[in-house]
Amino acid sequence: MISSLVPRIYERVWRPLWSPLLMAGRRDERAMALQMLAIEPGDSVLDVGCGPGNFTRAFGRASGDGLVVGLDASRTMLEQAVREANPPNVRYVRADAAALPFPDAGFDAVCCFAALYFIEQPLRAIDEIVRVLAPGGRVALLASVVRGPLPASAADAVVRRATGTRMFGRDALTRALAERGLTDVQQRVAGLAQFVSARAEDS
Ligand SMILES: C[S@@+](CC[C@H](N)C(=O)[O-])C[C@H]1O[C@@H](n2cnc3c(N)ncnc32)[C@H](O)[C@@H]1O
């Protein structure tokens, strides 16, 4: 993601190519994100690992005058994000998902799509996502999932060595969210991808 080419082609070429392959033909991720996050007008939304803002902009439109922040570690991805036609309530921040530069409980919804498997410390990122979630807030994750006969640890080792990306066990993310006190944890598996949603308890 550090080259300047990938950010330019990511949204319109790269992602439309690999996403249906990974997700057994599914192409409705934006609708799924919006449904899982249940964004209301005025909600504040954080998009962790936002890349060129391909989901962030949709969140901006859904939240109307709420603040929507796209966060990414890559300068070139964020440069592409700000080149796009962003709604006026969208801002971008360069930071590490494992150390979110925000106070506790500041966001009504937090999305992390197609980024956890790149993040060096994914459980630390989940700690941070839960920390910044307001009471009653919603979280939506899209990540890899191990299918088939190989144990999760073996599949992860093989894929990580070949591609540098992590494979999560079937219940690794649902368990991580439940252990951190989130409720209504739900998972949908499509191909080698898992969509996971959950909510923070109301205060
Ligand atoms: C495949 S893109 C996902 C973009 C968008 N969310 C989507 O679903 O299409 C993954 C992004 O995660 C970012 N990323 C990787 N590790 C990160 C970290 N530790 N903190 C923040 N962003 C990170 C990369 O820079 C990249 O832009």
Side-chain angles (χ1 to χ4, degrees):
M1 296 298 171
I2 55 169
S3 82
S4 55
L5 174 67
V6 173
R8 283 179 189 275
I9 63 166
Y10 176 81
E11 180 172 354
R12 292 172 187 89
V13 180
W14 184 302
R15 202 176 202 298
L17 281 178
W18 66 253
S19 181
L21 291 177
L22 193 69
M23 288 174 225
R26 277 201 95 117
R27 293 174 189 274
D28 55 350
E29 301 153 81
R30 192 161 299 156
M32 286 188 71
L34 289 167
Q35 185 243 319
M36 290 193 285
L37 294 170
I39 299 169
E40 300 279 345
D43 276 354
S44 52
V45 183
L46 175 63
D47 187 14
V48 176
C50 66
N54 44 322
F55 288 87
T56 323
R57 300 195 299 277
F59 303 151
R61 289 189 289 274
S63 89
D65 59 357
L67 175 66
V68 174
V69 179
L71 176 141
D72 204 283
S74 161
R75 182 177 51 78
T76 51
M77 278 293 194
L78 292 172
E79 282 171 356
Q80 181 62 31
V82 297
R83 271 196 291 270
E84 301 285 349
N86 286 287
N89 56 329
V90 168
R91 298 287 182 275
Y92 291 99
V93 171
R94 187 176 180 203
D96 184 356
L100 296 176
F102 306 112
D104 296 355
F107 290 97
D108 299 302
V110 181
C111 185
C112 185
F113 264 28
L116 273 178
Y117 42 72
F118 291 121
I119 294 173
E120 200 62 37
Q121 299 173 279
L123 293 181
R124 179 78 194 119
I126 289 178
D127 284 338
E128 285 291 87
I129 286 169
V130 171
R131 180 183 67 75
V132 302
L133 207 55
R138 287 82 57 200
V139 59
L141 310 177
L142 165 58
S144 51
V145 68
V146 172
R147 305 285 297 270
L150 271 186
S153 55
D156 179 46
V158 170
V159 173
R160 224 183 311 169
R161 179 167 295 188
T163 67
T165 58
R166 186 183 300 269
M167 294 296 288
F168 291 97
R170 180 86 181 215
D171 64 349
L173 299 178
T174 52
R175 194 177 57 232
L177 293 176
E179 283 173 356
R180 287 159 178 78
L182 298 198
T183 60
D184 197 15
V185 179
Q186 295 184 24
Q187 180 189 50
R188 270 173 278 184
V189 171
L192 292 173
Q194 57 178 317
F195 294 84
V196 178
S197 61
R199 59 187 303 125
E201 300 255 28
D202 290 312
S203 54

